[in-house]
Each structure stands twice: as structure tokens, then as C-alpha cells.
């Protein structure tokens, strides 16, 4: 069994502010039992990917139209991603009918536990895109 005793680790410089494009360990050195290892220098990592959780605008627009239709709202009603179903006058039965309309329009099935988490148009659009992606 190997063991290391009397070891030390020193970091000579660390980036002081987080910038996802430039955050990195500038230099470091390692010394174990008096044996020094050369300083290490790393380069900034390139941004590899970004994550977006918002549904596509087309999906949000289609959900808005379905909500307007199900709630018999005038076509000039202001319905957007932040619109809450309750603020638009929907009760629990209306919400069930909205979910049924969304299932029909998008060819998906929304489980009851998922349907209960929908409070806004954006919630519905995000769930729809997730279900459509899983379906493919």
C-alpha cells in the first residue's frame, strides 16, 4: 500500500472572478516530501455548449392560440408565455380542457402529475417540447 506523508500543495495564482469564457487555474505547483514538480499552466476552456430551457417561440404562440380558443378569449387578448391560466379566468375544469386541447394539437399525452405542474403558458410550452422530444 502506498502512502504520502508530509505533502503540501500550493496554488500560486487563481483567477479571481468567474467568467465562463476565461475561468481557469493560471499556475500551480506541487511539492511532495521536498520534491517539487514544475508549475502547471492551463489554458482557458472554450465554451462547449449552452443550455436553453425556454420553448421555441412558435410553440409558445401555438399554446397561446389554443388557450385563447379553450377559454373563448377575444383574439386581441394579451396572452403570452408569462400568462397564468388562473389570471386568464381558467378554473380547474378549464385547465383540464386546455391540456386536452394541447394533447390533440401536438399529438402527445400529458400524464396527470405533469398536468398539475402547468400554471402558465410557458410551463405548458416547455412541457410540450420535452414530451415531443421524448416521443421522437
Amino acid at each position: 500500500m502506498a502512502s504520502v506523508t508530509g505533502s503540501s500543495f500550493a496554488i500560486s495564482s487563481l483567477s479571481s472572478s468567474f467568467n465562463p469564457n476565461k475561468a481557469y487555474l493560471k499556475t500551480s505547483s506541487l511539492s511532495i516530501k521536498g520534491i517539487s514538480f514544475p508549475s502547471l499552466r492551463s489554458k482557458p476552456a472554450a465554451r462547449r455548449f449552452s443550455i436553453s430551457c425556454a420553448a421555441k417561440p412558435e410553440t409558445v404562440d401555438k399554446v397561446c392560440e389554443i388557450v385563447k380558443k379553450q377559454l373563448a378569449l377575444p383574439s386581441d387578448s394579451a396572452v403570452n408565455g408569462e400568462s397564468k391560466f388562473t389570471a386568464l379566468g381558467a378554473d380547474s375544469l378549464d385547465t383540464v380542457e386546455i391540456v386536452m386541447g394541447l394533447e390533440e394539437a401536438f399529438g402527445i399525452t400529458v400524464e396527470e402529475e405533469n398536468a398539475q405542474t402547468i400554471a402558465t403558458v410557458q410551463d405548458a410550452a416547455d412541457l410540450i417540447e420535452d414530451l415531443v422530444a421524448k416521443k421522437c
Side-chain angles (χ1 to χ4, degrees):
M1 175 168 27
S3 65
V4 176
T5 58
S7 64
S8 67
F9 180 71
I11 298 175
S12 59
S13 177
L14 184 65
S15 180
S16 61
S17 64
F18 180 75
N19 178 337
N21 293 325
K22 289 194 160 199
Y24 61 95
L25 181 66
K26 291 182 180 175
T27 60
S28 63
S29 61
L30 179 64
S31 175
I32 300 175
K33 285 192 169 193
I35 301 171
S36 293
F37 295 90
S39 294
L40 304 172
R41 183 172 296 276
S42 64
K43 296 180 181 178
R47 180 176 274 181
R48 299 193 194 283
F49 65 94
S50 65
I51 298 173
S52 175
C53 296
K56 296 176 193 163
E58 310 85 54
T59 305
V60 175
D61 292 343
K62 189 170 180 179
V63 172
C64 288
E65 291 304 315
I66 292 168
V67 168
K68 285 181 186 180
K69 179 183 173 191
Q70 293 294 330
L71 297 178
L73 298 173
S75 60
D76 62 343
S77 296
V79 178
N80 56 43
E82 292 81 35
S83 298
K84 292 186 177 190
F85 294 158
T86 55
L88 296 172
D91 60 17
S92 59
L93 180 58
D94 291 325
T95 302
V96 169
E97 290 175 354
I98 290 169
V99 171
M100 290 172 57
L102 295 171
E103 288 177 326
E104 184 179 324
F106 289 95
I108 57 170
T109 301
V110 179
E111 299 296 327
E112 186 176 341
E113 58 271 4
N114 289 335
Q116 293 175 353
T117 66
I118 300 172
T120 66
V121 169
Q122 188 68 51
D123 292 342
D126 292 342
L127 178 61
I128 287 165
E129 288 203 351
D130 184 44
L131 293 173
V132 168
K134 287 179 182 176
K135 185 178 169 183
C136 294

